[in-house]
Amino acid sequence: MNHTTPLLQLNSLGQSLWLDFLRRQFTESGQLQKLVDEDGLRGMTSNPSIFENAIGGSHDYDEAIAKLARQNKSIGEIYEAIVIEDVQEAAKIFRPVYDKSGGQDGFVSLEVSPYLAHNAEATIEEARRLWQRLDRPNVMIKVPATVEGLVAIRRLTADGINVNVTLLFDLTRYRQVADAFISGLEERVERGLPIDRIASVASFFLSRIDVVVDPMLERIARENGPHARRAAEFHGQVAISCARVAYQMYTDIFGSDRFKKLTDKGAHTQRLLWASTSTKDPAFSDVKYVDALIGPDTINTLPTKTIDAYRDHGDPQARLASQLGEAHRVIDGLAELGIDLPEISTRQLVDEGVDKFVRAFERLMQTLADRRGEALGEKLDRQTWSGGEFQSAIDARIASLGDEDFSARLWRKDPTLWTSDKAAQEQIRNALGWLHVAENMEGHLPTLDAFAKELASAGYRHAVHMGMGGSSLAPMVLSQAFPNPAGGNNGALQVSILDTTDPATILKLKESLPLEKTLFIAASKSGTTAEARAFCDYFYEQVDKLKTDDTGAHFATITDPGSPLARQSKERNFRHTFLNYADIGGRYSALSFFGMVPARAQGIDVDTLLARAMRMAKACAPEVNTADNPGVALGAFLGELALQCRDKVTFLMPDKIRGLGMWLEQLIAESTGKEGRGLIPIADEPLGRPKDYGDDRVFVCFRIQGSNDDEIALTAEALRKAGHPGVEIVLSDALDLGQEFMRWEIAVATAGRVLGINPFDQPNVQESKDNTNRILAEAKDRGRLQEEKPTLSEHGLDFYLSANASSGADALARFFGAAKDGDYFALMAYLTEDEHHTRRLQSMRRHIRDTLELATTVGYGPRFLHSTGQLHKGGPNTGLFLQITCDDGADAQVPGKWYTFGTLRKAQAQGDLEALHKHGRRAIRVHLGADVEGGLQTLEQLIQAYKPTH
């Protein structure tokens, strides 16, 4: 054992390390014991959220639930039986620590029902009952630090029950908590009862303080008033300052003459425990609340991800008692800034904490109800698959991933899973933040709620989310799944997604929206995305023309820390800048600020979205058997089938969540389409019969429980009977999109391992961007884009081909005639995206699919450049690409540039076609001219007339 690891050094500095996590498989598998033995773990806490994720996100408890259900136990009885057993088993592992420490450490905590937070008598009654049922000296009962909780703390301590005081945020309340504990000990002494084995901790929740206060400080700093500088200095320092002052209070209280009388009778102090210690602000270190708070006689309870991070790069030194004067300056200075920290700490944060646990408890009860129903014959399969003739190969692949410990290495962020290149490994290490983003974002829910309320009270009724690719696709999925036609209803905004340089779309938004009541959200990870910056500049100029008091108040930004967009946001005094986690790539950012800010503005239940994502994360946790791990097993299934030449992943999707297909297109294509390999996603293709599909397909059928998805279900069944391998995924409702984002991100990371590629880079995306920039630079000198001459012009259409053709029909026949088994056909439309155009494009792809038995895709440019464009250039050379362009009618100038949006889109199309040809792809272009409707109809007729000669 290495005794110099940062985690072990915490113990040598007087601080106990506890774990904020509990799950049956984690205990049974030996992983908990390993942390005790190797990292010096000395205790464990639990709460309703932890149990909701553990039970709802795994099959660990299925057998126990089934057994209890058959005994006719109620849902409440099932819950209690399960958690009692879990806590008892964990307490057994920690019992040697408890004995060796003389009752100082080795505790496991269980919370009373969150429904009882404001009922002292009911809390006392339940705590006594749980204490008796647990029947272990090294357990603690968690009681919230509400006013009513103070009564319970004193009486339970007097009863000899170990209490973990939870949801503590306020310094005055902390003094009251300590007094309640001491009073309980004194009462017990008066009864002549021993106090030498009574333990208690006061759990200060830290990061949640900063989550609420920091946005207030940012607003003051942004306003550039007399307190702006001080607000900037206090940013990110309030929670740690509270902890340092609390520690000073701790030493005073438990060093007092009053407590010395109890110490003489064997009393232990009520140690301070630092909770909510995962860093929520991506601008700060992920071990911020560990390094700063190390001191004797304290406890830090960490989630597993923070334990892993601290083991890797912690810097343990006793810092807790330092900078005390600065801590007092920060806390005292908040009042001068107009921030009422006591009010926030004793009311808002406590109420939010209780409410969070209540919601988690309610979700857990619903999960148990579902599982109980399952056990009694109401089967609810969530993910099932049929591998057909490939099943043995799929099973072998799953077993292989288990043998190499893939899941544990994934969660440890081990880059050697995908590459041996040192530079690429470093890039991968900084691209896996999505694994924990749901739990991180849960801490930002108060900020998102406050932002949404602020917008509503300021009179905003609409929002436009402006981004490309990963910055916009998740918002597009959610806006389609949760339509809000009545913008402004109940404070929710009507959200539009702008992810195209099509001038007609941009001008329509400008004309149709009341700009004075619209918030514009500029979203770009790098802060350099040309389209997002152009959208932002354009609408900033439009709003500025309204001569409002504060143009910047109509704008918000989502970007990485330190990006050019973040700097512009500050310079223009935007209403809010959401700094995202820099270790999350764009296409893996659905559950981050990029997806959750517009979702919350729209009034979507972001809390439940994130909760279901966390439930899926727990279902895919390292301790889960590979075959039972929904994300890893799905990735193994798809990856192995791709190796077996079944690489066309075809989605059958209900209308309600149809937008998910576009998100999956980018995630899969951009992650796996490289080095001549890749999964080829086929989204929104018209349903067909088994004979319409080639033998290169694998089908993924989504269904929503209780919805009328009969046509999809019948199609999926017919395909299965025909021998096509497939997966069926059942969603409870559209809020399960949260879990699907997480499931598929893990699946794609797994498929990357199977295919032997790095799923976290996009080497060919930049190529088209560079081509576009060069084309625009060359055109600047001549004042216009240079257009090549068409190879053929006919019926208003211009054809750009690599060889001569006698007619448009001949050109298409030659193009289609080059198709081979296993190819796919891509329609790349640089057109306005509307219902009429989409209907014609879908008609074309259906004919090609049915005629050539080719998988087909449709993408609107330039969106697909940030999506399937990587696959087109870097994936297998099996694509046939038909680019469709047109002349623009009305156009709009890009502010600060010599070109218009229409010119930019033409340059993007040229750059993309150039890149395809460079990589030897089979690609032609058809230009529709100014009569877009007529030209598209003519092209459709030509394609419909095509019949293969063999």
Side-chain angles (χ1 to χ4, degrees):
M1 187 192 307
N2 183 356
H3 290 277
T4 63
T5 64
L7 290 170
L8 288 170
Q9 288 180 60
L10 293 177
N11 287 333
S12 67
L13 292 169
Q15 184 170 78
S16 297
L17 171 67
W18 288 14
L19 174 65
D20 193 25
F21 179 69
L22 179 55
R23 176 174 174 170
R24 182 159 299 183
Q25 180 61 26
F26 187 77
T27 304
E28 293 177 346
S29 67
Q31 289 176 277
L32 176 58
Q33 186 67 60
K34 184 178 179 181
L35 284 176
V36 173
D37 295 340
E38 297 183 5
D39 291 316
L41 189 69
R42 299 174 68 83
M44 175 180 270
T45 58
S46 68
N47 60 49
S49 295
I50 287 172
F51 281 119
E52 194 270 330
N53 286 322
I55 297 172
S58 77
H59 294 287
D60 298 359
Y61 301 86
D62 288 359
E63 185 176 340
I65 293 170
K67 181 179 178 181
L68 291 164
R70 288 192 291 270
Q71 293 172 6
N72 204 31
K73 298 292 184 183
S74 69
I75 297 168
E77 289 171 329
I78 292 173
Y79 161 75
E80 196 163 296
I82 286 173
V83 300
I84 290 289
E85 183 177 348
D86 275 6
V87 171
Q88 286 177 328
E89 289 304 306
K92 183 188 298 183
I93 292 174
F94 281 109
R95 183 61 187 264
V97 176
Y98 173 80
D99 292 336
K100 187 176 180 179
S101 67
Q104 279 280 83
D105 274 311
F107 291 96
V108 183
S109 298
L110 177 63
E111 192 140 0
V112 295
S113 168
Y115 293 121
L116 308 179
H118 298 291
N119 187 327
E121 293 302 323
T123 294
I124 293 166
E125 180 181 346
E126 175 151 319
R128 287 170 175 166
R129 185 174 57 78
L130 291 175
W131 175 261
Q132 290 175 351
R133 284 203 63 184
L134 286 165
D135 192 25
R136 299 288 189 275
N138 61 321
V139 296
M140 286 185 171
I141 305 300
K142 295 179 78 172
V143 175
T146 56
V147 172
E148 298 81 4
L150 295 172
V151 176
I153 293 162
R154 180 180 60 78
R155 287 171 56 182
L156 293 172
T157 302
D159 287 347
I161 295 174
N162 302 326
V163 177
N164 178 339
V165 183
T166 185
L167 294 180
L168 183 56
F169 303 94
D170 178 63
L171 293 169
T172 300
R173 181 61 52 83
Y174 167 56
R175 190 177 292 279
Q176 295 169 340
V177 164
D179 181 73
F181 169 68
I182 294 172
S183 297
L185 291 179
E186 290 170 336
E187 181 180 330
R188 191 167 174 82
V189 169
E190 289 175 5
R191 296 186 203 165
L193 298 172
I195 60 173
D196 60 318
R197 281 287 174 169
I198 299 175
S200 181
V201 296
S203 299
F204 248 95
F205 282 58
L206 297 174
S207 65
R208 293 193 198 175
I209 297 174
D210 284 340
V211 164
V212 172
V213 175
D214 277 354
M216 299 178 181
L217 294 170
E218 290 167 7
R219 193 175 304 115
I220 295 169
R222 189 174 68 243
E223 291 170 353
N224 289 320
H227 300 301
R229 183 173 180 180
R230 188 187 299 185
E233 290 175 357
F234 290 176
H235 185 264
Q237 301 304 312
V238 176
I240 288 174
S241 296
C242 287
R244 286 179 169 147
V245 173
Y247 187 61
Q248 181 190 36
M249 294 169 64
Y250 165 82
T251 57
D252 291 343
I253 292 168
F254 292 99
S256 67
D257 291 340
R258 178 189 180 191
F259 193 73
K260 188 176 185 305
K261 295 176 184 178
L262 297 170
T263 304
D264 292 341
K265 297 183 181 298
H268 299 295
T269 64
Q270 183 189 55
R271 288 185 294 169
L272 283 166
L273 180 151
W274 312 127
S276 186
T277 50
S278 60
T279 306
K280 306 300 190 295
D281 190 330
F284 296 122
S285 163
D286 57 355
V287 294
K288 168 183 176 177
Y289 297 104
V290 189
D291 270 343
L293 300 175
I294 301 169
D297 298 323
T298 60
I299 302 164
N300 206 325
T301 179
L302 309 179
T304 53
K305 64 167 184 173
T306 309
I307 285 180
D308 292 340
Y310 205 77
R311 186 191 298 113
D312 179 68
H313 52 266
D315 180 24
Q317 296 179 42
R319 301 182 180 90
L320 181 57
S322 66
Q323 302 181 43
L324 189 58
E326 176 64 15
H328 279 286
R329 186 178 79 89
V330 170
I331 293 172
D332 295 342
L334 289 176
E336 297 177 30
L337 299 180
I339 297 176
D340 189 345
L341 184 61
E343 174 70 16
I344 292 170
S345 300
T346 57
R347 292 185 182 274
Q348 178 182 344
L349 286 170
V350 173
D351 289 346
E352 288 175 354
V354 171
D355 186 53
K356 173 187 174 183
F357 287 156
V358 165
R359 293 197 303 270
F361 195 75
E362 288 173 346
R363 289 193 297 265
L364 174 56
M365 293 299 103
Q366 183 58 56
T367 297
L368 287 172
D370 292 342
R371 296 285 176 86
R372 185 179 186 274
E374 251 184 279
L376 297 175
E378 302 165 16
K379 190 64 176 172
L380 298 172
D381 288 327
R382 295 299 180 185
Q383 175 177 294
T384 56
W385 66 70
S386 171
E389 62 181 297
F390 307 104
Q391 191 60 54
S392 60
I394 293 165
D395 291 341
R397 178 63 64 182
I398 292 173
S400 173
L401 289 170
D403 292 342
E404 65 181 32
D405 206 17
F406 172 83
S407 184
R409 291 168 66 191
L410 167 67
W411 286 93
R412 288 200 306 268
K413 302 181 181 180
D414 179 359
T416 63
L417 285 168
W418 300 282
T419 183
S420 59
D421 180 81
K422 296 298 182 183
Q425 287 178 1
E426 187 60 28
Q427 175 261 326
I428 291 172
R429 284 191 188 95
N430 294 318
L432 290 167
W434 54 271
L435 286 165
H436 296 288
V437 70
E439 58 193 276
N440 286 338
M441 287 302 300
E442 186 184 40
H444 289 289
L445 286 172
T447 300
L448 296 178
D449 288 343
F451 183 63
K453 291 175 183 175
E454 177 186 322
L455 296 177
S457 64
Y460 291 95
R461 295 295 178 262
H462 301 267
V464 179
H465 185 86
M466 307 177 297
M468 296 299 298
S471 299
S472 63
L473 284 171
M476 184 176 293
V477 173
L478 295 171
S479 66
Q480 291 179 3
F482 299 93
N484 180 22
N489 183 35
N490 296 324
L493 306 189
Q494 186 174 30
V495 176
S496 303
I497 310 299
L498 177 59
D499 69 338
T500 177
T501 49
D502 171 52
T505 301
I506 295 167
L507 291 169
K508 183 179 179 181
L509 274 174
K510 186 194 79 168
E511 298 300 329
S512 62
L513 291 176
L515 299 185
E516 70 281 1
K517 294 183 178 181
T518 301
L519 178 81
F520 296 90
I521 304 171
S524 167
K525 173 180 169 60
S526 67
T528 61
T529 307
E531 297 94 333
R533 295 295 298 272
F535 301 152
C536 186
D537 290 344
Y538 177 79
F539 281 105
Y540 187 88
E541 185 177 88
Q542 300 304 313
V543 174
D544 200 45
K545 292 177 181 178
L546 299 177
K547 304 296 183 184
T548 62
D549 293 336
D550 186 0
T551 300
H554 289 263
F555 289 81
T557 297
I558 309 170
T559 189
D560 279 3
S563 77
L565 191 55
R567 292 194 294 272
Q568 183 189 64
S569 177
K570 184 175 182 180
E571 291 165 1
R572 290 181 170 179
N573 201 29
F574 283 2
R575 178 175 290 275
H576 200 101
T577 299
F578 293 94
L579 296 178
N580 207 55
Y581 296 89
D583 58 353
I584 301 176
R587 60 186 174 274
Y588 291 87
S589 66
L591 294 163
S592 73
F593 283 116
F594 283 106
M596 297 302 100
V597 171
R600 181 61 190 87
Q602 190 181 327
I604 295 173
D605 183 0
V606 170
D607 187 355
T608 300
L609 271 175
L610 292 173
R612 295 190 186 178
M614 287 188 285
R615 185 172 65 186
M616 178 57 68
K618 298 304 180 187
C620 300
E623 61 270 16
V624 177
N625 181 279
T626 306
D628 297 326
N629 185 314
V632 173
L634 177 59
F637 180 86
L638 297 175
E640 181 58 35
L641 285 169
L643 295 178
Q644 302 285 346
C645 299
R646 292 265 183 172
D647 61 353
K648 312 302 188 303
V649 185
T650 306
F651 297 103
L652 311 181
M653 200 86 66
D655 286 342
K656 178 74 172 175
I657 58 168
R658 179 171 291 173
L660 181 63
M662 283 190 293
W663 181 83
L664 287 166
E665 272 188 328
Q666 186 199 21
L667 178 70
I668 293 172
E670 200 167 71
S671 297
T672 70
K674 57 201 70 170
E675 299 179 32
R677 283 164 279 179
L679 300 171
I680 300 166
I682 310 298
D684 207 24
E685 191 178 49
L687 293 177
R689 300 158 297 178
K691 73 181 188 64
D692 297 325
Y693 300 105
D695 58 6
D696 55 351
R697 303 265 197 162
V698 55
F699 293 89
V700 180
C701 173
F702 286 91
R703 293 196 299 109
I704 299 176
Q705 191 177 350
S707 297
N708 184 15
D709 302 327
D710 292 347
E711 187 178 6
I712 290 176
L714 291 171
T715 300
E717 178 63 16
L719 292 167
R720 187 189 64 78
K721 289 180 178 179
H724 288 287
V727 179
E728 181 178 78
I729 295 173
V730 180
L731 281 64
S732 298
D733 51 46
L735 287 168
D736 270 354
L737 286 168
Q739 76 178 21
E740 293 313 303
F741 291 145
M742 179 59 69
R743 182 204 308 267
W744 283 91
E745 286 168 357
I746 291 174
V748 168
T750 307
R753 169 64 175 173
V754 175
L755 294 172
I757 52 91
N758 174 5
F760 307 109
D761 67 356
Q762 47 282 334
N764 299 105
V765 169
Q766 189 61 40
E767 184 177 0
S768 288
K769 295 180 183 179
D770 291 342
N771 287 347
T772 297
N773 292 334
R774 176 181 48 76
I775 290 168
L776 287 172
E778 292 171 352
K780 183 178 181 181
D781 295 334
R782 69 176 74 92
R784 60 179 178 80
L785 293 178
Q786 185 171 353
E787 288 274 6
E788 62 176 315
K789 288 187 176 182
T791 311
L792 169 72
S793 296
E794 180 185 76
H795 304 306
L797 303 181
D798 291 330
F799 292 82
Y800 297 82
L801 315 167
S802 58
N804 290 327
S806 60
S807 65
D810 180 43
L812 291 174
R814 290 169 182 264
F815 181 56
F816 294 145
K820 304 184 296 293
D821 289 344
D823 284 346
Y824 69 99
F825 178 82
L827 279 162
M828 307 184 304
Y830 286 86
L831 310 173
T832 300
E833 183 175 4
D834 63 29
E835 186 178 328
H836 301 293
H837 294 166
T838 298
R839 189 183 304 118
R840 292 202 182 278
L841 294 170
Q842 287 288 76
S843 172
M844 295 180 205
R845 74 185 295 196
R846 179 193 291 272
H847 180 77
I848 293 165
R849 193 261 327 264
D850 295 350
T851 302
L852 297 177
E853 295 184 359
L854 294 184
T856 62
T857 68
V858 166
Y860 280 98
R863 178 190 298 143
F864 69 81
L865 295 183
H866 301 260
S867 176
T868 53
Q870 167 62 45
L871 171 74
H872 293 169
K873 272 84 81 174
N877 192 358
T878 54
L880 284 82
F881 304 98
L882 173 56
Q883 185 187 85
I884 306 173
T885 60
C886 68
D887 293 333
D888 292 308
D891 208 343
Q893 188 72 30
V894 177
K897 303 294 184 181
W898 70 268
Y899 51 81
T900 64
F901 281 103
T903 302
L904 173 58
R905 185 173 64 165
K906 289 176 182 176
Q908 290 173 315
Q910 286 186 24
D912 186 36
L913 193 61
E914 186 178 305
L916 289 170
H917 286 149
K918 177 185 173 183
H919 288 279
R921 279 16 184 185
R922 292 161 289 176
I924 65 172
R925 173 189 169 204
V926 177
H927 186 69
L928 305 180
D931 181 8
V932 180
E933 279 296 328
L936 198 59
Q937 182 177 1
T938 301
L939 179 60
E940 179 188 6
Q941 291 169 348
L942 284 172
I943 289 176
Q944 296 280 11
Y946 171 74
K947 296 289 187 285
T949 56
H950 56 81

